[in-house]
Amino acid sequence: MSLTGKVALVTGGARGIGRAICLELARRGASVAINYAGSAQAAQETLEAVEALGAQGMCIQADVKDSAACQAMVDEVIARFGHLDILVCNAGVTRDNLALRLKDEDYDAVLDTNLKGAFSCMRAAYRPMMKQKSGRIVAISSIVGLRGNAGQANYAASKAGLIGLCKSLAKELAGRNMTVNAVAPGCIATEMTAALPEKVRAEMQATIPMGRLGAGEDVARAVAFFAGEDAAYVTGQVLCVDGGMAV
Ligand code: NAP
């Protein structure tokens, strides 16, 4: 499905799943704004890969925890490309610990980035999208947001919250020809999962019916589906991309 003429903003687009999403959208013809917080070099490499696919792109630094920075980021994308059609809220962090040992700062850092950060970007993007009477918002949740996970109470709360946020905005924005959906990845091979102890990763892999960790590209294709015309009448949905893990 072609995305030619569309403009996308991907938060946390420099590396990991975010980079795969940037490349998939670029491959389909979209112009892509690559947001990063600290990974300037990786963002530049992603931009070069986007341009090598024949698409236009830009890198844009913003910490999604800062709502004013999210607004400025959306304004800058629109100033550069003229409009914004697709927002992908992918930026996310983990600060894992058993709930008994979770510190306030670990809870807040995860909720502020994963949930409030996504809301700040959505709020900045949906005003111009409402005016143009079209727009696609996709949030990267997690199957952990559906099932919970011991040791990830903060992360699970943020990812479950994203689903409630998407379903509510889906209802608010449907009349403006806008869709809001979530992709819930299972266990995807990125730096986030590479940071897990080998034993934990092996145990996780054993619970995946398809027998392998997912790739960023598996998630990116689901995002592209929600961003494209094939999903024009699909909103408020959660699509698990997990090799059957949550079944
Ligand atoms: P990753 O490799 O750790 O990358 C995280 C990304 O988030 C980076 O691009 C990072 O940007 C960005 N980010 C973090 N804090 C940010 C902030 N305050 N402002 C802007 N960007 C920020 O993680 P990943 O595995 O690709 O995960 C991407 C998304 O998928 C996350 O939301 C994650 O929760 C979700 N997910 C991952 C898995 C998995 O198995 N990997 C499973 C389910 C869901 P900088 O490098 O510039 O800081």
Side-chain angles (χ1 to χ4, degrees), residues 11-19 35-40 42-43 62-66 89-94 112-114 140-144 155 158-159 162 183-193 196 204 213 219:
T11 68
R15 58 191 180 88
I17 292 172
R19 174 181 285 183
N35 159 256
Y36 65 97
S39 299
D63 179 343
V64 298
K65 294 198 294 305
D66 177 347
C89 295
N90 164 78
V93 293
T94 51
D112 285 353
T113 306
N114 299 6
I140 307 302
S141 177
S142 166
I143 60 163
V144 165
Y155 183 75
S158 74
K159 294 300 182 179
L162 267 182
V183 175
C187 197
I188 310 297
T190 66
E191 284 171 38
M192 190 176 269
T193 41
L196 293 169
M204 267 176 145
L213 266 60
V219 179

Side-chain angles (χ1 to χ4, degrees), residues 26-50:
R27 202 169 287 121
R28 293 172 193 234
S31 300
V32 185
I34 304 150
N35 159 256
Y36 65 97
S39 299
Q41 177 62 33
Q44 188 56 36
E45 287 163 15
T46 303
L47 175 61
E48 284 163 18
V50 161

